[in-house]
Amino acid sequence: MSLTLRTISREQHLAYIQSLPSASHCQVPAWADVKKEWRSENLGWFDATGELVGAGLVLYRQLPKVKRYLAYLPEGPVINWFAPNLEEWLQPMLAHLKQAGAFSVKMGPPVVIRRWDAPAIKTGIQNPDVKRLRDVEATFIEPRAFEVADRLRRMGWQQGEDGGAGFGDVQPRYVFQVPLENRSLESVHKSFNQLWRRNIKKAEKAGVEVVQGGYEDLAEWQRLYEVTAERDRFRPRPLGYFQRMWTALNAEDPNRMRLYFARHEGENVAAATMLIVGGHVWYSYGASANHKREVRPSNAMQWRMLCDAYALGASVYDLRGISDSLDETDHLFGLIQFKVGTGGEAAEYIGEWDFPLNKLLHKALDIYMSRR
């Protein structure tokens, strides 16, 4: 199969994404408008008949003082990763990006290598000798993913550092997902652990209501988000980022981004953003107040978002990044503990990969990034 690669229009790119069951929200054309500090390009792969068979959103970040770029395809490109001729997909991309002035390429193949169901993770947590998710026997292994990793290595791609829980600009290597396909909502609820089911009931009894917000409510979202950032010691993104996200994503598809609030006695005590691309729904950012935690607003909100995802016909509700640490003393342990209560599964992607087109500049970037 001979493939050609060329720049495509945003319209072509969007039409291609819409023809698929799903793709990452980082690979929709509008994501370029969210990441406005990067220059962007839409790439398309065409087969011998001229049909568009793959697409990628490339973000270009210029190196300080040099007219050379880091080319980044977050959670992409959207191609057939299991194709036996993977080289024929990626070589033209590297040639094109080199011509565009890239000194290094970073991509995140959307390929899952292993999955662990909730019982397997719980067993791991209870075993004092187990400190990491990867020390637990996986419930599902995708043999073709190992083949993809081998092929990339043979082509000269280098596996990047672990994305950890996906805090900051790297994409998460480990995520937590609740599969919804071919399941009843009742069976999804039943697979929640006792604590989750109790907390959902508790919130209901206490009169917590979950409502959807709009653009005008983003300032209120930001207030709760900054409270959370201070409590959990991370640097919050500015309000402008969420406003841009809302405007750009919903201009592309009016149902791309949603905002939820959990209210108690008229006061917003938790909030979350949700992203939708085809059958994949993500819980993207979350926030909560320091008080009224006893009425369990976060559990109520997650359950409502999950029900809404189900009503949309989603095949998966994705709670995004987790750390692979099962050590109770780790500050990120609470995250996996909270998410595992949904009875879903942890998934490990094959991670992000780098291709240094100019080894010297690639090394310089590594040093620059490590000092930041």
Side-chain angles (χ1 to χ4, degrees):
M1 176 169 122
S2 65
L3 291 164
T4 49
L5 176 122
R6 62 174 181 267
T7 304
I8 55 173
S9 70
R10 285 180 67 141
E11 291 70 33
Q12 280 173 295
H13 186 168
L14 182 61
Y16 179 71
I17 295 285
Q18 285 168 337
S19 75
L20 304 172
S22 180
S24 167
H25 60 270
C26 302
Q27 279 295 309
V28 299
W31 194 249
D33 303 326
V34 179
K35 299 288 175 187
K36 70 166 182 16
E37 66 279 20
W38 300 67
R39 185 166 67 82
S40 70
E41 185 183 14
N42 308 78
L43 294 182
W45 281 259
F46 294 85
D47 67 10
T49 69
E51 193 189 342
L52 184 61
V53 289
L57 173 69
V58 187
L59 301 174
Y60 292 98
R61 170 69 71 88
Q62 193 173 345
L63 252 193
K65 304 188 179 61
V66 198
K67 210 149 173 51
R68 287 301 202 69
Y69 303 86
L70 165 68
Y72 183 31
L73 295 97
E75 298 184 15
V78 185
I79 59 173
N80 177 8
W81 284 97
F82 300 131
N85 61 337
L86 191 57
E87 295 77 4
E88 289 174 44
W89 289 80
L90 296 178
Q91 291 314 91
M93 179 181 88
L94 289 173
H96 176 94
L97 297 174
K98 189 172 188 169
Q99 221 175 350
F103 66 88
S104 187
V105 181
K106 184 187 272 297
M107 65 177 182
V111 176
V112 169
I113 197 161
R114 296 181 190 88
R115 292 183 187 274
W116 294 264
D117 64 16
I121 301 167
K122 280 179 200 148
T123 308
I125 290 172
Q126 283 154 6
N127 183 343
D129 296 333
V130 170
K131 295 287 181 224
R132 304 215 157 267
L133 197 50
R134 64 185 78 164
D135 301 333
V136 177
E137 195 181 334
T139 321
F140 165 82
I141 288 179
E142 173 55 85
R144 295 179 302 171
F146 292 92
E147 213 175 304
V148 172
D150 281 345
R151 284 208 176 120
L152 292 176
R153 272 188 209 100
R154 283 203 298 274
M155 275 184 250
W157 288 85
Q158 301 166 1
Q159 196 158 19
E161 291 301 302
D162 265 11
F167 305 114
D169 277 340
V170 277
Q171 300 307 321
R173 173 122 186 219
Y174 295 89
V175 300
F176 204 87
Q177 300 175 338
V178 180
L180 301 176
E181 215 165 8
N182 304 323
R183 295 177 73 189
S184 69
L185 204 48
E186 189 190 16
S187 87
V188 174
H189 186 264
K190 267 204 182 106
S191 65
F192 276 31
N193 71 13
Q194 227 177 338
L195 185 65
W196 260 86
R197 291 202 301 267
R198 208 166 47 228
N199 285 344
I200 291 167
K201 215 179 203 124
K202 206 182 219 176
E204 211 178 320
K205 258 200 174 123
V208 171
E209 53 165 349
V210 181
V211 296
Q212 261 183 263
Y215 180 86
E216 65 288 349
D217 301 302
L218 285 168
E220 173 63 0
W221 145 263
Q222 189 71 16
R223 183 186 68 77
L224 281 167
Y225 171 64
E226 284 177 12
V227 167
T228 309
E230 197 172 325
R231 182 178 67 237
D232 295 346
R233 298 195 296 278
F234 65 85
R235 203 168 77 206
R237 289 193 181 273
L239 173 61
Y241 181 82
F242 295 103
Q243 289 174 327
R244 195 162 68 239
M245 204 168 158
W246 182 277
T247 308
L249 296 177
N250 288 336
E252 178 175 274
D253 179 331
N255 204 19
R256 188 75 85 220
M257 180 176 175
R258 290 184 178 189
L259 177 62
Y260 286 84
F261 289 99
R263 280 191 189 149
H264 186 250
E265 294 168 342
E267 182 190 4
N268 294 320
V269 282
T273 61
M274 181 160 120
L275 299 175
I276 301 153
V277 184
H280 203 127
V281 172
W282 292 264
Y283 153 55
S284 158
Y285 285 87
S288 59
N290 292 331
H291 60 298
K292 292 204 170 179
R293 303 187 116 189
E294 70 286 351
V295 298
R296 304 296 173 198
S298 295
N299 298 88
M301 186 170 62
Q302 287 296 343
W303 175 237
R304 162 71 192 274
M305 287 163 74
L306 211 150
C307 289
D308 286 2
Y310 188 87
L312 286 166
S315 55
V316 62
Y317 179 70
D318 195 322
L319 290 125
R320 282 296 269 176
I322 50 170
S323 146
D324 88 321
S325 174
L326 297 182
D327 181 354
E328 298 192 10
T329 60
D330 190 304
H331 73 290
L332 292 172
F333 175 74
L335 200 61
I336 192 166
Q337 204 176 26
F338 177 74
K339 293 178 182 182
V340 90
T342 60
E345 54 190 24
E348 179 192 0
Y349 283 88
I350 65 170
E352 294 199 315
W353 293 72
D354 297 301
F355 196 101
L357 292 164
N358 177 318
K359 290 194 167 65
L360 199 69
L361 286 175
H362 179 81
K363 188 95 187 102
L365 177 80
D366 268 357
I367 295 167
Y368 169 74
M369 292 308 278
S370 67
R371 287 184 182 155
R372 282 182 66 188

